[in-house]
Amino acid sequence: VHATSFCAEVWGPAWRAARAAGLGARRVLAIDQRGHGRSDTPSEPSAYAWTRVAGDVAGVLAEEFAAEDSAILVGHSSGGTAVLAAAAICPERVAGVAVVEPVLFEPPEPGVDADSFAGSRLFAERALKRRARFEDRAAARAALQSRFPYSGFATSALDANLDGGFEVTE
């Protein structure tokens, strides 16, 4: 599961390189988190609550894997948080977890609605402020390459993010 402002396709270059090196015969699935890539973009900040994002990952596990199968979950940043929480929701479907820079917050106080959790609102507010349109692909590429973390992306990963995270419109 990708980080905030990335998309599922960002994982493609890494998985292709791993396979080319002879690593991993497992089936690989990458998902777009809410408001990213080809997923729906809810306008309500509560739609981005950690409980809902984790539920999305748990839902994919239930839909894509037989009950007796398990998966190794991999996540980066907000995706790391999502897979950790999904593993807690359905531990019987998880064989392992690998996270890179997960976003970790203290859980909400008892009696506080998880959908109002401050960490969830922060990411929803940031996602809703992202620029919606660019003149063309070259303008999108230039804008992304000029700022962290995209400035450090390998060309193949940046292209994958452009391919999966943007669509051409009139």
Side-chain angles (χ1 to χ4, degrees), residues 7 84 88 100 103 108 136 138 166 169-170:
C7 63
L84 288 169
V100 178
V103 179
D136 55 25
F166 294 83
T169 60
E170 293 184 24

Side-chain angles (χ1 to χ4, degrees), residues 2-6 33-36 41-51 53 76-82 100-106 115-130 149:
H2 62 81
T4 300
S5 82
F6 297 174
Q33 292 197 66
R34 294 169 178 232
H36 296 78
T41 304
S43 59
E44 291 297 315
S46 63
Y48 297 88
W50 292 116
T51 53
V53 175
H76 172 223
S77 191
S78 64
T81 304
V100 178
E101 301 176 309
V103 179
L104 300 176
F105 294 99
E106 291 295 323
D115 287 352
S116 70
F117 181 32
S120 300
R121 284 195 313 276
L122 171 70
F123 281 95
E125 290 166 5
R126 285 184 180 170
L128 292 171
K129 288 180 181 179
R130 284 183 294 193

Side-chain angles (χ1 to χ4, degrees), residues 158-170:
L158 182 59
D159 287 340
N161 197 52
L162 289 167
D163 291 344
F166 294 83
E167 67 180 347
V168 177
T169 60
E170 293 184 24

Side-chain angles (χ1 to χ4, degrees), residues 64-79:
E64 294 291 333
F65 294 91
E68 66 277 2
D69 290 339
S70 61
I72 296 171
L73 304 180
V74 178
H76 172 223
S77 191
S78 64

Side-chain angles (χ1 to χ4, degrees), residues 9-68:
E9 280 80 1
V10 166
W11 291 105
W15 296 128
R16 284 190 292 278
R19 290 240 167 124
L23 303 173
R26 288 183 164 267
R27 182 174 134 204
V28 175
L29 299 174
I31 65 169
D32 284 318
Q33 292 197 66
R34 294 169 178 232
H36 296 78
R38 294 180 181 91
S39 71
D40 292 335
T41 304
S43 59
E44 291 297 315
S46 63
Y48 297 88
W50 292 116
T51 53
R52 296 199 179 163
V53 175
D56 293 343
V57 176
V60 169
L61 291 173
E63 187 173 309
E64 294 291 333
F65 294 91
E68 66 277 2

